[in-house]
Amino acid sequence: MDDAHNIQYSNLQDNAQAEQELDNAQATMAAAEEEEATSTSKAEYGSGIPSPLQSPERACSPSVVLASIPEGPSEEASIRQLQALEDPLYLLHNAQNVKVYDLVDFLLFKYQTKAFTTKAEMLETIGREYDEYYPLIFSEASECMKLVFGLDIVEVDPSVHSYVLVTALGITYDGMLTDVQGMPKTGVLIVVLGVIFMKGNYVSEDIIWEMLNNIGLFGGMDPYIHRDPRKLISEEFVQEGYLEYRQVPNSDPPSHVFLWGPRAFAETTKLKILQFFASITKTHPRAYPEKYAEALRDEIDRVEAWIFQQMLRHL
């Protein structure tokens, strides 16, 4: 099916009407472009949160943060740390990092209790002395909530700056009832869907388990997100209809691949997933031309299907 989509896209380039359809679909990217401009503006602050040397999920993952603390630093390392402490900018960035995690912890509590929050509450959480840096801290905490936990912070009332947290990209699942710890699992689901899409719409188990390790789920066991992430993906996501788990025909020994399930297609889109994936790599969806074309084709197909359904309803 993917090859057919790619062939369709190649043929569309010589068809004026189809080009107009693509232009219309590209209009849906306006919001993404505005978001990209905002991200570029944020980068000009020179924030060390997260470090550009690590992915946003790893920068925000509590397991990665804990693993990065040395057990017994050498004397040379200690001297370097003391020299760094003399740098006021280092002190500022370090303090901001702490405040980002404080705010993330606070926002998780608000989501777990299904409660609204306000700018005033968040300022109280990070400390009024950080009022000047609140926009940067709030922005980084928001990004962390989305990339790690799959949660968007939505402003409800601009006049009082009140907010609510909701699952991202149209996905209705958060996995909070499937694990005693009650941590949102939407972020893991979105990353898995993204890997599947970027790898050609199906992906082997080995690649998924490698991805788990890369985002800080360390060999498939990380009690912070889930006591058994492998079970979360291969059983719970499958049972919820977000993934399909298929055996590769004639494979010996038997091997399996993951694909998008019907619920994933119903609740989100390839374009939304691509935008999310691009935000992880700090790029734009157009940086992945083949996937961008496939995502636009998917948007056109969805619009055409919706129009057809509307026509049938009025017959």
Side-chain angles (χ1 to χ4, degrees):
M1 183 178 294
D2 302 315
D3 291 338
H5 275 176
N6 289 334
I7 293 171
Q8 282 181 321
Y9 176 70
S10 297
N11 293 336
L12 288 174
Q13 291 180 315
D14 297 323
N15 187 302
Q17 181 180 356
E19 286 181 356
Q20 182 61 46
E21 288 181 332
L22 281 177
D23 289 340
N24 293 337
Q26 285 173 329
T28 65
M29 295 299 297
E33 291 172 354
E34 181 179 350
E35 181 180 349
E36 177 70 9
T38 302
S39 300
T40 303
S41 175
K42 282 168 47 184
E44 293 176 357
Y45 278 93
S47 167
I49 320 166
S51 166
L53 297 179
Q54 55 188 161
S55 70
E57 300 108 303
R58 292 186 63 83
C60 294
S61 170
S63 57
V64 173
V65 174
L66 293 175
S68 67
I69 300 175
E71 295 181 359
S74 64
E75 182 178 353
E76 181 181 354
S78 299
I79 293 174
R80 286 200 303 269
Q81 289 176 348
L82 288 174
Q83 290 173 339
L85 288 175
E86 296 174 0
D87 181 357
L89 192 60
Y90 170 85
L91 290 173
L92 174 61
H93 285 173
N94 187 58
Q96 287 177 349
N97 271 290
V98 172
K99 295 304 176 182
V100 168
Y101 292 118
D102 287 346
L103 186 53
V104 166
D105 190 57
F106 170 78
L107 292 171
L108 275 175
F109 172 75
K110 286 295 183 178
Y111 180 76
Q112 291 165 338
T113 57
K114 303 302 179 185
F116 289 79
T117 188
T118 63
K119 179 180 178 180
E121 284 184 333
M122 289 186 276
L123 277 172
E124 288 297 328
T125 298
I126 65 175
R128 289 284 176 177
E129 63 272 25
Y130 287 92
D131 180 81
E132 180 181 355
Y133 303 102
Y134 168 79
L136 178 60
I137 294 172
F138 175 75
S139 176
E140 296 296 342
S142 299
E143 182 178 25
C144 191
M145 293 297 292
K146 184 167 186 174
L147 297 181
V148 179
F149 301 106
L151 301 177
D152 279 330
I153 303 176
V154 179
E155 188 170 27
V156 178
D157 187 347
S159 64
V160 294
H161 299 291
S162 62
Y163 301 85
V164 66
L165 288 101
V166 298
T167 49
L169 309 190
I171 292 173
T172 59
Y173 167 89
D174 63 13
M176 301 241 330
L177 299 178
T178 62
D179 189 74
V180 293
Q181 293 162 300
M183 283 293 177
K185 317 299 189 301
T186 316
V188 178
L189 173 60
I190 291 173
V191 170
V192 172
L193 292 175
V195 170
I196 293 172
F197 173 52
M198 298 301 288
K199 291 291 186 179
N201 297 302
Y202 65 91
V203 67
S204 69
E205 285 183 283
D206 291 340
I207 291 178
I208 293 295
W209 307 147
E210 181 182 355
M211 177 274 297
L212 285 179
N213 191 60
N214 289 341
I215 65 173
L217 294 182
F218 297 120
M221 294 297 293
D222 186 342
Y224 188 82
I225 299 294
H226 193 276
R227 286 177 297 186
D228 188 350
R230 291 194 180 210
K231 180 180 178 181
L232 173 68
I233 293 172
S234 61
E235 295 184 19
E236 292 179 21
F237 289 172
V238 173
Q239 291 170 1
E240 290 291 335
Y242 286 104
L243 298 179
E244 289 189 10
Y245 184 62
R246 296 182 186 174
Q247 182 174 337
V248 178
N250 303 318
S251 58
D252 186 20
S255 60
H256 296 78
V257 294
F258 287 101
L259 303 88
W260 280 30
R263 191 171 171 185
F265 283 107
E267 293 184 356
T268 192
T269 69
K270 293 179 178 181
L271 187 56
K272 290 179 180 178
I273 292 293
L274 183 60
Q275 290 169 354
F276 179 89
F277 213 82
S279 71
I280 293 177
T281 56
K282 301 298 182 183
T283 58
H284 189 277
R286 289 193 181 94
Y288 308 92
E290 291 184 5
K291 291 301 174 183
Y292 184 60
E294 180 181 343
L296 288 178
R297 183 68 250 177
D298 180 65
E299 292 293 307
I300 293 173
D301 290 344
R302 287 172 179 269
V303 171
E304 290 177 345
W306 181 86
I307 293 173
F308 182 71
Q309 290 175 354
Q310 295 302 307
M311 292 173 62
L312 290 179
R313 288 179 58 185
H314 290 86
L315 288 178

